[in-house]
Amino acid sequence: MNVTIDLKKAETYFSEEDFKGNREKAGEALCRLLTMEDHDQVLGWTSPCASREELEIIKEKAEEIKKEGDLFVLVGVGGSNQAARAMIDALADGQGPEVLYMGNTLSAHSVSKMLKRMEGRNVYINVIAKNFETLEPGSHFRILRQWMKKRYGREEMAKRIIVTGTKGSRLEEIAKENGYLFLSFPSSVGGRYSAFSPVCLLPIGAAGLNLDKYLAGMERAAEDCRVNPSSNPAALYGAARNLLYGKGYDIEMLVSFEPRYSCLAKWWVQLFGESEGKEKKGIFPSSAIYSEDLHSIGQYMQEGRRNLIETFVSVEDPGARAVIEPDPEFRDGFDYLDGMDFDQINKAAEEATLNAHWKGGVPCIRFLTKTMSEETFGELFYYFMTACAVSGTMMNINPFDQEGVEEYKRSMFAALGKKV
Ligand code: PA5
């Protein structure tokens, strides 16, 4: 496996016996989830959720975009862009077009800036919306259609627009009426659980990432969860955070010393925030990227209120070297670093932080990732989504709905004059 979990610096905050009991409960919750009656309603993500045929179509289109396009516009918000963004931000290395994220803001300044960035570029667009009523992607799609029509004309624009939506939706009709490629957003998969569906597969393929390796990572983690229900990283993580929550630890920071994991952290915040924050319950999720954020939030982590859990995502091999050569001429006071690789320094900072926070009263959980790769993301996404579903179940809330976000929408739509 590329991903393992280390709970040594969390275990000192609870008894072995309590943890054993909670591990069993987490394993039972996981088994219940995998076999529950309405599995097909919300758990489509626990197995690959693009058919073989659809996967071939996605690969073919991704190749075309890579070959022909130099700007790929991903239109989506929340679960409709976060997983792809996390992977592209971490792994894309110029093998595909530049990716521009739209459909995720209502700022006039941002929208006009994005449209300017499209000028003179060879553009492909993927519009992703499960429920084609969301304001940001819907409004951006209209602007983009008009832009594409002016730039390419109806026929040429049709091959450059790909639409990912629910079968039977208005979005599918629009795709059919206009000859756009339509990919399915499975109804049994919620936005924030859509990492293994066409929602994520087309964008990461277009950005040059390897879909087979990614899905192989997912399958490995899924198998681990099936075969070892109470000892896989998802169950262990779910059990530990649930136990800590019961002891008053109600804020969790996902942190990493690898900035390339910053969009993964954003994805994780959405997953846990939207899934658990209900019925006045749930651990509040936040994130930080070290070492930079040690110079801000680090103070609070060390000495602030002791209700914090810190979950590290560590990288064994960052895949690059950057050595500090001696520079005796300047006597800058940094000679102790002579000959060191930045990775060695980064790891020393990580170990020191982990120890200091742990000793300072913060239970620290650690996910260790061997390399940053497609396989690793396949495993990480699967374990985190499973842990989230398990944690929600253990808290007795429904981790798959998000009724709360409708509240602000009602008054916003009323203010904008939307007829319901
Ligand atoms: O996880 C979720 O369900 C949400 O975050 C959605 O992904 C988000 O609200 C976007 O929804 P839609 O794809 O319907 O526009």
Side-chain angles (χ1 to χ4, degrees):
M1 302 301 288
N2 283 298
V3 177
T4 49
I5 189 167
D6 177 358
L7 291 172
K8 283 195 272 309
K9 290 195 164 50
E11 280 163 359
T12 50
Y13 288 85
F14 41 70
S15 75
E16 215 180 307
E17 207 184 324
D18 281 352
F19 186 55
K20 197 167 166 255
N22 237 30
R23 253 177 67 173
E24 295 312 316
K25 279 192 204 150
E28 281 159 23
L30 175 52
C31 293
R32 264 203 319 278
L33 277 168
L34 294 179
T35 52
M36 71 190 220
E37 231 169 64
D38 56 352
H39 186 275
D40 293 347
Q41 306 284 308
V42 287
L43 285 148
W45 54 271
T46 54
S47 45
C49 38
S51 65
R52 221 170 249 285
E53 202 187 5
E54 198 162 28
L55 195 56
E56 283 317 307
I57 294 173
I58 289 171
K59 284 182 180 172
E60 208 177 292
K61 196 70 187 177
E63 276 310 310
E64 177 190 324
I65 298 171
K66 261 182 358 191
K67 221 164 89 207
E68 314 241 329
D70 66 18
L71 188 72
F72 177 69
V73 184
L74 198 175
V75 184
V77 70
S80 288
N81 82 3
Q82 304 264 30
R85 192 171 189 174
M87 288 187 73
I88 293 169
D89 193 60
L91 305 178
D93 210 3
Q95 314 96 313
E98 186 193 338
V99 181
L100 181 66
Y101 299 93
M102 288 190 69
N104 54 359
T105 180
L106 296 171
S107 151
H109 185 268
S110 302
V111 173
S112 72
K113 203 166 151 194
M114 287 167 184
L115 291 173
K116 275 196 199 109
R117 276 179 65 187
M118 291 167 58
E119 292 303 335
R121 308 291 298 271
N122 191 331
V123 179
Y124 276 78
I125 290 178
N126 183 196
V127 180
I128 307 172
K130 182 166 187 193
N131 160 12
F132 187 47
E133 283 183 11
T134 310
L135 186 56
E136 294 89 340
S139 56
H140 287 216
F141 187 25
R142 182 185 288 190
I143 287 194
L144 286 167
R145 276 196 314 271
Q146 291 162 347
W147 189 94
M148 293 291 275
K149 193 167 159 219
K150 237 193 244 158
R151 167 77 189 274
Y152 293 108
R154 239 175 214 289
E155 207 175 305
E156 173 65 16
M157 87 189 239
K159 80 162 209 195
R160 292 170 178 272
I161 297 181
I162 303 104
V163 156
T164 310
T166 315
K167 284 201 174 120
S169 66
R170 176 67 194 133
L171 197 53
E172 183 183 22
E173 284 168 13
I174 292 178
K176 279 195 180 139
E177 286 160 14
N178 293 279
Y180 309 151
L181 173 63
F182 177 79
L183 299 173
S184 67
F185 195 140
S187 54
S188 59
V189 174
R192 57 193 176 278
Y193 294 90
S194 65
F196 301 115
S197 77
V199 171
C200 179
L201 296 176
L202 180 78
I204 64 166
L209 306 186
N210 187 308
L211 302 186
D212 293 327
K213 288 186 180 167
Y214 173 51
L215 292 174
M218 175 251 172
E219 299 259 24
R220 255 198 315 270
E223 175 72 2
D224 185 22
C225 290
R226 269 192 302 272
V227 178
N228 308 302
S230 53
S231 59
N232 64 76
L236 295 175
Y237 177 49
R241 66 195 295 286
N242 180 267
L243 206 50
L244 291 165
Y245 178 58
K247 292 178 184 296
Y249 293 91
D250 57 7
I251 295 182
E252 182 178 8
M253 295 287 292
L254 190 90
V255 303
S256 181
F257 275 75
E258 179 49 69
R260 286 194 292 153
Y261 274 145
S262 56
C263 287
L264 172 78
K266 213 167 141 59
W267 170 86
W268 174 92
V269 166
Q270 191 224 350
L271 175 67
F272 280 90
E274 227 177 17
S275 300
E276 268 187 10
K278 286 162 201 171
E279 301 175 25
K280 313 277 181 286
K281 296 184 199 169
I283 299 177
F284 180 83
S286 189
S287 70
I289 292 297
Y290 297 158
S291 63
E292 185 176 6
D293 291 338
L294 285 176
H295 301 268
S296 56
I297 205 71
Q299 170 60 37
Y300 196 105
M301 296 306 294
Q302 190 66 48
E303 293 183 347
R305 288 183 61 216
R306 300 297 75 183
N307 60 341
L308 303 166
I309 305 169
E310 198 172 23
T311 297
F312 288 71
V313 183
S314 307
V315 188
E316 208 175 297
D317 176 6
R321 283 174 63 77
V323 175
I324 300 190
E325 300 298 346
D327 197 0
E329 205 187 313
F330 284 88
R331 289 194 292 156
D332 60 6
F334 288 97
D335 291 353
Y336 63 96
L337 299 176
D338 285 359
M340 280 193 203
D341 189 283
F342 265 98
D343 189 44
Q344 191 181 347
I345 303 170
N346 205 24
K347 288 203 164 71
E350 181 170 359
E351 287 305 324
T353 306
L354 196 64
N355 279 318
H357 291 181
W358 171 56
K359 285 187 189 145
V362 179
C364 294
I365 298 170
R366 195 176 197 183
F367 280 88
L368 298 149
T369 63
K370 275 194 190 144
T371 53
M372 292 186 73
S373 63
E374 287 92 335
E375 290 95 319
T376 299
F377 271 89
E379 290 180 30
L380 270 179
F381 283 155
Y382 195 88
Y383 285 137
F384 276 137
M385 293 194 298
T386 305
C388 184
V390 165
S391 293
T393 309
M394 289 173 88
M395 280 179 201
N396 275 326
I397 48 101
N398 178 354
F400 304 113
D401 65 4
Q402 62 280 331
E403 286 302 308
V405 294
E406 298 307 316
E407 196 52 42
Y408 85 91
K409 288 186 189 169
R410 275 189 275 278
S411 34
M412 175 183 71
F413 286 140
L416 293 172
K418 182 181 177 189
K419 293 196 179 67
V420 278

